[in-house]
Amino acid sequence: PAPQANGTAPAAKPAPRGKKPEAPKAGTSLFVKDIRKEWGQDVLREIFGGFGTIRSVELPSGKAFAFVNFEAAEGATAALESRPIAHDGKNLSVELRMPQERLRSMRPKGPRDPAARDRAGRGGSFKGAPGAGPAARGRGRGSGGPRQGGKPAAAPAPAK
């Protein structure tokens, strides 16, 4: 599509309701941070439209980031090479979007270490080894000293 009279790329058709848009091709999508929450897709198309034809803009409601998807990798590359990008006095952080497959491959595989779960519990403090008895587990939030009203610890016998 040819640029419009104002020099920006024409608006891409939105995806039909209930259907997810096609996943962007590798190297064509940008992750844009530090945007103003009141900016809409039209502002982002204005900022990035000069770099290439925009396929779509993903703008989560109320968030300060967006994804700008270009038809070709050259548009994303041109935007990256033009950094820093600023609009309305705001510097934008622009990075190449990482494909979902790569994000999944970076996540740890399998269940977490079960021993770590036994040591820490659900957000509580360390209570000692399971089955070690009350002396090993401590008494909660106390300082670790003798109980109030109890006998003080016996002093070690003097060396001869």
Side-chain angles (χ1 to χ4, degrees), residues 113-121 124-128 130:
D113 178 16
R117 186 175 52 242
D118 290 342
R119 287 190 302 268
S125 60
F126 177 77
K127 299 291 184 186

Side-chain angles (χ1 to χ4, degrees), residues 122-147:
R122 291 181 173 245
S125 60
F126 177 77
K127 299 291 184 186
R137 289 194 297 266
R139 301 208 178 266
R141 298 180 136 200
S143 64
R147 289 185 282 168

Side-chain angles (χ1 to χ4, degrees), residues 7-145:
T8 62
K13 292 180 184 176
R17 289 206 179 265
K19 291 186 177 180
K20 284 187 171 185
E22 282 185 39
K25 294 180 229 169
T28 62
S29 185
L30 297 177
F31 178 47
V32 183
K33 297 187 285 186
D34 303 325
I35 66 172
R36 298 201 175 169
K37 291 180 182 177
E38 62 269 14
W39 289 354
Q41 288 188 10
D42 55 336
V43 174
L44 292 167
R45 287 181 183 280
E46 177 186 325
I47 296 168
F48 291 96
F51 299 115
T53 304
I54 295 177
R55 180 180 196 195
S56 65
V57 175
E58 299 171 46
L59 187 61
S61 179
K63 302 291 183 180
F65 68 89
F67 298 102
V68 177
N69 305 307
F70 289 89
E71 287 289 333
E74 291 78 18
T77 303
L80 290 170
E81 290 173 352
S82 298
R83 291 182 289 187
I85 297 174
H87 181 75
D88 197 22
K90 183 91 169 148
N91 287 325
L92 305 178
S93 173
V94 181
E95 302 169 10
L96 195 59
R97 180 181 190 179
M98 191 178 294
Q100 289 295 323
E101 307 84 53
R102 185 146 178 230
L103 286 174
R104 284 187 206 107
S105 71
M106 293 174 61
R107 291 184 186 141
K109 291 184 172 85
R112 291 187 179 157
D113 178 16
R117 186 175 52 242
D118 290 342
R119 287 190 302 268
R122 291 181 173 245
S125 60
F126 177 77
K127 299 291 184 186
R137 289 194 297 266
R139 301 208 178 266
R141 298 180 136 200
S143 64

